[in-house]
Amino acid sequence: TQLLEQSPQFLSIQEGENLTVYCNSSSVFSSLQWYRQEPGEGPVLLVTVVTGGEVKKLKRLTFQFGDARKDSSLHITAAQPGDTGLYLCAGPNYGGSQGNLIFGKGTKLSVKP
Amino acid sequence: NAGVTQTPKFRVLKTGQSMTLLCAQDMNHEYMYWYRQDPGMGLRLIHYSVGEGTTAKGEVPDGYNVSRLKKQNFLLGLESAAPSQTSVYFCASSYRSDRGNTEAFFGQGTRLTVV
């Protein structure tokens, strides 16, 4: 069974600080996605990484896919209160007859003004 | 764009009652999913469908049934609700690209309380 482990589980920081959250697995994934979920809403896709070693930037957010495609990280520069939310990583699960997405448990980020 | 629409948004059930959650998507996606989200447990897959007329069990299927009679709709049924089914339920849909990465689009969730 493929598992995605995210760390830390909770993170509370002040506005302007930098942070990194991690998504790790013992399995190889063909791709990984990062989602952000705000309270009372469904998760929304931020980015998909598909190539080992790939780095993608989305404004102040930098996503990296590990060379071995078993892990990914999300780095936020100069965090803002609007970055507050639950960050989830997800990857396709091909353990069954068809692919479906499995999710990590998420990192709950709180950015205080 | 409506995207993925779930109804209802909130519901309170008594133990033993039944109900159906409806999910509709207008993106012509082949895959549809039902997840439940509980504190500290993340998103857990209940059932999913890879096309009209097909369904498959996910990680936590017990106590739930699903149907996909039309491509755009995916229904989740609770035949006899139990307090352990108190949760937030999310429907999602996705396509599959040539690279195999499956990007999901989510509804806004249904908050279900079973008393």
Side-chain angles (χ1 to χ4, degrees):
Chain A
T1 303
Q2 294 169 292
L3 292 173
L4 288 167
E5 296 184 357
Q6 292 190 244
S7 61
Q9 188 176 359
F10 300 98
L11 189 56
S12 181
I13 61 171
Q14 294 295 129
E15 181 176 3
E17 292 184 6
N18 301 333
L19 67 113
T20 302
V21 298
Y22 301 92
C23 175
N24 295 296
S25 177
S26 58
S27 304
V28 175
F29 283 86
S30 59
S31 64
L32 283 178
Q33 294 99 47
W34 284 93
Y35 294 79
R36 180 168 64 208
Q37 183 179 20
E38 298 184 10
E41 302 288 332
V44 175
L45 180 70
L46 294 173
V47 77
T48 301
V49 286
V50 297
T51 304
E54 180 178 8
V55 176
K56 281 191 174 180
K57 292 190 176 183
L58 188 66
K59 297 184 180 178
R60 294 175 294 99
L61 278 60
T62 301
F63 304 84
Q64 185 162 8
F65 200 12
D67 290 342
R69 291 186 288 126
K70 292 183 177 181
D71 56 86
S72 182
S73 63
L74 159 60
H75 181 78
I76 300 179
T77 303
Q80 299 177 359
D83 296 326
T84 293
L86 179 67
Y87 289 82
L88 297 157
C89 67
N93 174 19
Y94 294 103
S97 59
Q98 297 282 352
N100 59 74
L101 274 179
I102 61 169
F103 282 82
K105 293 183 178 180
T107 293
K108 192 170 185 179
L109 172 66
S110 175
V111 182
K112 299 179 180 178
Chain B
N1 281 340
V4 179
T5 303
Q6 292 182 233
T7 53
K9 289 185 171 51
F10 303 94
R11 186 71 185 269
V12 178
L13 283 180
K14 292 183 179 179
T15 298
Q17 285 186 319
S18 63
M19 77 164 295
T20 300
L21 282 66
L22 173 64
C23 177
Q25 55 96 2
D26 62 0
M27 295 172 283
N28 202 36
H29 286 165
E30 288 294 331
Y31 292 3
M32 295 188 75
Y33 315 86
W34 277 106
Y35 291 91
R36 61 178 288 174
Q37 188 174 37
D38 303 292
M41 300 297 289
L43 283 164
R44 293 184 293 171
L45 184 64
I46 305 170
H47 287 280
Y48 66 101
S49 169
V50 300
E52 181 178 324
T54 73
T55 62
K57 293 180 180 180
E59 180 186 357
V60 288
D62 294 342
Y64 305 96
N65 57 75
V66 289
S67 64
R68 183 102 180 265
L69 298 180
K70 293 183 179 180
K71 186 177 183 178
Q72 64 268 33
N73 295 336
F74 195 30
L75 278 64
L76 177 71
L78 286 73
E79 290 185 349
S80 180
S84 61
Q85 294 178 303
T86 294
S87 187
V88 181
Y89 292 85
F90 286 100
C91 176
S93 69
S94 70
Y95 60 90
R96 181 169 175 169
S97 74
D98 291 341
R99 294 294 299 271
N101 46 308
T102 311
E103 305 178 37
F105 297 81
F106 284 82
Q108 290 197 315
T110 296
R111 186 173 294 275
L112 175 66
T113 302
V114 183
V115 298

